[in-house]
Amino acid sequence: MASNAFTDHGVRIAVEGCGHGTLNAIYSSVQQTCQVKNWDGVDVVIIGGDFQAVRNTPDLLCMSVPAKYRVLGDFWEYYSGIRQAPYLTIFIGGNHEASNHLFELYYGGWVAPNIYYLGAANVVRLGPLRIAAMSGIWKGYNYNKPHHERLPYTQDDVRSIYHVRELDVRKLLQIRTQVDIGLSHDWPRAVEWSGDFKTLFRRKNEFEAESKAGTLGSVAAKKVLDRLRPAYWFAAHMHIKFSAVVKHEGDISGDVQAGTFDAVASQKIGGTVEDVTMHAGEPSLEKPTRNEDEIDLDMDELEDEPPAPKEPKEAKTITKPDTEQGVPQSLRDQLPASFSKPVPQQQQMQPPPQTTSPPDITNKTTHFLALDKCLPGRKFLQLLSPEPISKPLPSPSSTTPPTQRATLRLEYDPEWLAITRVFASELTLGDRSVNTPPNKGEAFYRPLIEQEEQWIEENLMKSNNGHLFIPDNFEITMPPYDGGADGAAAMNSRLDIPIEYNNPQTARFCEMLGIENVFFLTEEEKRLRMENAKDVMLEQGDDRRGYGGGGERGRGGGGWRGNRGGCGGGRGGGRRGGFNPGRGRGWGRGRGRGRGW
């Protein structure tokens, strides 16, 4: 369903918080709200993560949730073609995803007709709007690591593959021109202090301690927010609606009040904003109710945090002579720096300075909005029609202004494509032994990006009339679920180990840019990865339950070590061992009764 409202009203957007596999309910809510607001539709639905693009039951093993939350949802109906998405839909990844599916589309791509995943990091265009996006959540101990996770996943891989990586953020921090909308799953660090934090802390009392300790939210998202300074920034993850106005340097006027997003966004930026609560009966502020069947806010709390480094033994204090202690500081300041005492390393560690913005990024105010998940009584949906603040792409071969296009299509962003070409050689996958290439700094990357921008102009822009429309080239990779049983029933039956699929969209994207497709594996390479995974698990002594959490007793599959029916040990353990978690036949010999890992 394409809306023609853009010509008269600007781009009409429906923003939803966490998806959690409820596409049918989300689309129904958008339709009902459009009817209430007398809109004939929206141009795009934006979903802020936890989308759960589960195609079939093997995908469930790659989603970081306890076993009882492994349900198919309704995405598979859109993937298989049973249903068609009524609106163009774009989304980012969160921390509860079919990570193996999204891995196929690292650079972005269609997960179903009319439903587009924005990739690990991306900048795209929709009509006059320029949208920057980053997937995943913040975990500092994995930030500087490469994308070492690749099928077959260990349990740790399932819980770390969605952690934001510095290389992806580094690319976003090379953007030098204005964007209109920013997207992240978790909130930018400390954004709560720019809104009604008192009410937030009353409703989510566990947030106050984290906020005051400076640990609430994503450091990476804050870096990108400070750099790009979009007019709007949308997030989810915390399962509560919260708005704030972020004042960037040089603009600190104005007080933040409750309801800031609704009241101020349309006044200072332009456009219209419609608040939506789809269901009555929202829990009261004083006594919020808890749904015992709801997925916990952040299942990463189940992870074992890496051990903190041991504090060095405190050195004995040596009392200096009074003659040295009595030297006035004014005289010491006149000495060369080489005479100064070395500063201990712990004191040298300072928080990174606020990211500065290039001259072409001029916006001073970002309107932040976080939304809830799609449940009765929750504030999970917001309609708005923002006016762009970014510059439109030049289109010398077209006399029709881009603001008059009735049907909007997603477009690649030329600057982002140039950045992707520069950093493509630094992306490594599936190798725990390598390190992320060091950040060489903006001064190093800038001339390379400018050179690649010329390449994009000459090789892509001129041959496409100034626009790089994203092709509608969705293809099925994993066979879709056949609808023979519901998700719960499927979970209690056979669960096949997921295999990696070479996604044709990623191949065509890499071919378009002339970069290596490091995601492609031959069938032999896939087989070797499965073989080598057994050795890795044996070396690590991994005897944890469940592939991705929560294994069950089953035939043919066992833990790698120490469990009955495991690899080479216990009753029925054969030479190749079991790799299949839960119930169902494994692909090793024997009928082991061990637990899956």
Side-chain angles (χ1 to χ4, degrees):
M1 176 179 177
S3 170
N4 293 326
F6 172 57
T7 303
D8 300 323
H9 304 288
V11 182
R12 286 181 166 175
I13 296 175
V15 185
E16 196 273 338
C18 296
H20 287 279
T22 58
L23 273 179
N24 294 343
I26 291 171
Y27 289 144
S28 177
S29 298
V30 172
Q31 181 182 22
Q32 294 175 41
T33 308
C34 286
Q35 293 173 353
V36 171
K37 302 302 179 185
N38 199 28
W39 284 13
D40 63 348
V42 294
D43 295 293
V44 64
V45 175
I46 300 175
I47 298 178
D50 289 352
F51 183 85
Q52 299 181 4
V54 178
R55 302 163 291 185
N56 207 331
T57 52
D59 284 345
L60 294 170
L61 295 176
C62 302
M63 189 164 66
S64 180
V65 294
K68 72 174 183 176
Y69 296 121
R70 289 179 185 159
V71 294
L72 284 168
D74 48 37
F75 167 77
W76 68 271
E77 300 174 3
Y78 298 85
Y79 177 76
S80 64
I82 295 176
R83 292 177 183 261
Q84 296 293 322
Y87 312 101
L88 171 64
T89 303
I90 62 177
F91 72 96
I92 55 175
N95 55 316
H96 304 303
E97 302 290 0
S99 298
N100 58 321
H101 186 189
L102 301 190
F103 175 87
E104 297 177 14
L105 299 168
Y106 168 85
Y107 293 112
W110 303 102
V111 296
N114 219 26
I115 303 176
Y116 192 84
Y117 168 53
L118 289 167
N122 211 337
V123 178
V124 297
R125 290 177 176 267
L126 181 67
L129 296 181
R130 194 170 183 227
I131 303 170
M134 53 188 297
S135 292
I137 66 169
W138 170 260
K139 287 294 178 180
Y141 53 86
N142 279 329
Y143 181 60
N144 291 303
K145 295 180 181 179
H147 289 280
H148 60 77
E149 303 91 349
R150 192 160 194 170
L151 283 170
Y153 299 142
T154 66
Q155 188 179 46
D156 284 343
D157 291 340
V158 173
R159 288 178 173 171
S160 69
I161 189 171
Y162 49 81
H163 293 166
V164 174
R165 304 301 158 92
E166 186 273 336
L167 181 63
D168 301 321
V169 175
R170 190 190 308 177
K171 292 161 62 178
L172 286 168
L173 296 180
Q174 307 308 312
I175 293 290
R176 296 183 62 84
T177 51
Q178 188 68 59
V179 302
D180 300 291
I181 294 173
L183 304 175
S184 64
H185 184 57
D186 51 354
W187 302 6
R189 178 68 55 89
V191 73
E192 67 275 10
W193 297 109
S194 295
D196 186 3
F197 57 87
K198 293 182 180 179
T199 300
L200 175 68
F201 294 161
R202 287 201 302 270
R203 299 195 66 178
K204 295 277 190 177
N205 53 23
E206 67 274 18
F207 286 3
E208 184 170 6
E210 289 186 61
S211 180
K212 290 181 176 179
T215 59
L216 184 66
S218 169
V219 174
K222 176 172 173 51
K223 286 177 178 286
V224 178
L225 169 62
D226 289 342
R227 167 76 175 203
L228 302 188
R229 302 183 180 187
Y232 294 91
W233 189 284
F234 301 118
H237 188 50
M238 303 295 195
H239 296 175
I240 188 171
K241 180 180 179 182
F242 180 78
S243 61
V245 174
V246 179
K247 301 291 185 179
H248 302 290
E249 62 182 61
D251 184 6
I252 57 174
S253 61
D255 297 327
V256 177
Q257 304 292 337
T260 297
F261 186 89
D262 305 332
V264 179
S266 60
Q267 296 177 11
K268 290 196 175 182
I269 295 182
T272 59
V273 179
E274 300 290 345
D275 185 22
V276 180
T277 305
M278 284 307 303
H279 305 280
E282 182 180 12
S284 64
L285 183 64
E286 292 77 13
K287 295 182 179 180
T289 60
R290 174 175 174 80
N291 182 354
E292 295 300 332
D293 292 328
E294 181 180 349
I295 298 178
D296 291 341
L297 175 63
D298 186 358
M299 297 310 303
D300 277 1
E301 297 302 323
L302 297 176
E303 297 183 19
D304 293 327
E305 296 284 347
K310 295 181 179 180
E311 294 290 338
K313 294 182 179 180
E314 185 175 352
K316 294 182 180 179
T317 303
I318 301 177
T319 304
K320 297 182 179 180
D322 292 340
T323 55
E324 183 178 348
Q325 293 182 354
V327 177
Q329 185 63 42
S330 59
L331 293 179
R332 295 188 184 189
D333 292 341
Q334 299 177 30
L335 295 173
S338 59
F339 282 78
S340 301
K341 295 183 296 183
V343 180
Q345 185 175 1
Q346 290 182 344
Q347 296 182 22
Q348 292 179 11
M349 297 176 60
Q350 300 293 334
Q354 184 180 25
T355 305
T356 58
S357 291
D360 289 337
I361 298 179
T362 58
N363 184 46
K364 301 296 184 182
T365 304
T366 297
H367 297 274
F368 172 81
L369 178 67
L371 291 167
D372 208 330
K373 61 188 294 189
C374 182
L375 283 176
R378 304 294 188 90
K379 296 180 178 180
F380 62 87
L381 189 64
Q382 186 100 24
L383 304 187
L384 67 154
S385 181
E387 292 183 2
I389 61 174
S390 62
K391 293 182 180 180
L393 288 176
S395 183
S397 60
S398 174
T399 58
T400 303
T403 54
Q404 294 183 7
R405 292 199 305 273
T407 302
L408 301 183
R409 292 177 58 190
L410 283 176
E411 299 180 51
Y412 295 120
D413 182 82
E415 183 180 11
W416 180 254
L417 294 183
I419 292 170
T420 301
R421 274 180 55 87
V422 169
F423 284 90
S425 62
E426 299 192 355
L427 177 64
T428 58
L429 300 173
D431 190 345
R432 300 175 183 275
S433 65
V434 302
N435 295 320
T436 301
N439 189 338
K440 299 179 179 67
E442 188 173 356
F444 175 85
Y445 295 122
R446 176 48 27 200
L448 299 179
I449 294 171
E450 290 174 350
Q451 179 180 344
E452 297 301 342
E453 285 179 317
Q454 290 296 319
W455 188 94
I456 297 296
E457 174 68 23
E458 293 295 327
N459 292 275
L460 298 179
M461 296 291 289
K462 287 184 178 180
S463 60
N464 289 279
N465 295 322
H467 290 283
L468 297 175
F469 293 111
I470 297 176
D472 295 326
N473 58 353
F474 165 74
E475 292 187 35
I476 285 178
T477 50
M478 177 184 287
Y481 181 61
D482 61 10
D486 61 22
M491 270 306 304
N492 291 324
S493 62
R494 185 169 185 256
L495 278 179
D496 293 325
I497 292 299
I499 63 174
E500 185 170 327
Y501 294 91
N502 295 317
N503 198 298
Q505 296 180 70
T506 298
R508 290 169 188 149
F509 178 85
C510 294
E511 181 181 1
M512 177 187 73
L513 289 187
I515 61 178
E516 181 185 2
N517 181 10
V518 296
F519 293 85
F520 178 82
L521 290 180
T522 65
E523 294 304 314
E524 177 64 13
E525 288 171 329
K526 294 177 186 178
R527 186 189 67 79
L528 289 175
R529 285 197 59 82
M530 296 292 285
E531 291 288 340
N532 293 337
K534 295 184 298 182
D535 297 333
V536 171
M537 296 303 296
L538 285 169
E539 291 174 3
Q540 293 181 350
D542 197 325
D543 60 356
R544 287 165 292 186
R545 297 172 53 189
Y547 188 97
E552 295 186 29
R553 292 165 66 98
R555 296 171 58 191
W560 288 109
R561 175 171 174 263
N563 294 324
R564 298 171 65 186
C567 180
R571 188 168 63 185
R575 178 173 56 86
R576 298 184 63 184
F579 200 85
N580 192 34
R583 300 172 185 243
R585 293 183 181 274
W587 50 267
R589 297 180 180 179
R591 294 167 52 92
R593 294 179 55 197
R595 297 183 183 271
W597 54 278

